[in-house]
Structure formats: structure tokens, C-alpha cells
Amino acid sequence: MKLEYACIINQRCILMVRAEAEAVAHAPDLGEEIYTAWVETMDVANPNDVDLHDWIDVLTVKYQASEVSVRALFEAIRLIIIRYDELININ
């Protein structure tokens, strides 16, 4: 049952990060790419241990978004992931 909830919550999380990126940078794929980066290669619980400079430089160019927007999305999406992880652990 927990796995079933985790899949549903993961899908909702992806929709949320895509919506956030659409609102901030008009690039929903940017949100999903940041989500994937956090989930696959970074520790959302310890963001101070993560060097985002290279990620921000690459994604700023790739999506032609401002550095401020991309930096803000990294933090917003990190918080979204943490919130959805909490929901998975409740179920």
C-alpha cells in the first residue's frame, strides 16, 4: 500500500515542480530537470553540502532563464520534495 501511495505522490510532486517552473521561468521541463537532479544526485536534506553553481550555470543557459529564477527554483523544488517525502512517510 505504501508503494502505491509513493507512486501517486511522486507523480503529484512532478506535476507540482513542473507548475512551479512554469510560473517562475515559463519552462516546466526546467522544474522536472531540477527535480531529477535533486532526487538522483543531491541530498535535499543537506542543501548546504551541495554546490549548485555548475547546475545553475548550465540550466540558466539551457532554458534561457535568469540565474535568480533558477536559484529560486532549486530551493522551491527542494522544499516541495521534502513535503512530498513527508506525505509518503505518513502513509
Side-chain angles (χ1 to χ4, degrees):
M1 185 70 110
K2 188 171 183 175
L3 181 60
E4 182 180 320
Y5 284 120
C7 291
I8 293 168
I9 290 173
N10 181 56
Q11 290 172 348
R12 291 179 72 188
C13 187
I14 291 172
L15 290 172
M16 187 69 181
V17 301
R18 288 181 62 81
E20 186 71 19
E22 175 65 31
V24 171
H26 307 292
D29 291 341
L30 172 58
E32 194 162 346
E33 192 160 344
I34 291 171
Y35 170 82
T36 301
W38 274 122
V39 171
E40 293 182 1
T41 63
M42 300 179 208
D43 183 0
V44 294
N46 296 308
N48 294 331
D49 295 341
V50 178
D51 183 11
L52 297 178
H53 296 294
D54 290 339
W55 284 97
I56 291 170
D57 290 343
V58 168
L59 295 176
T60 298
V61 171
K62 183 176 180 178
Y63 290 96
Q64 298 186 351
S66 74
E67 181 181 329
V68 172
S69 296
V70 174
R71 186 172 299 280
L73 280 170
F74 265 98
E75 179 59 12
I77 290 170
R78 184 184 78 80
L79 295 174
I80 290 169
I81 292 167
I82 288 171
R83 179 65 185 128
Y84 277 91
D85 281 350
E86 290 170 357
L87 290 174
I88 290 170
N89 291 327
I90 289 172
N91 295 314

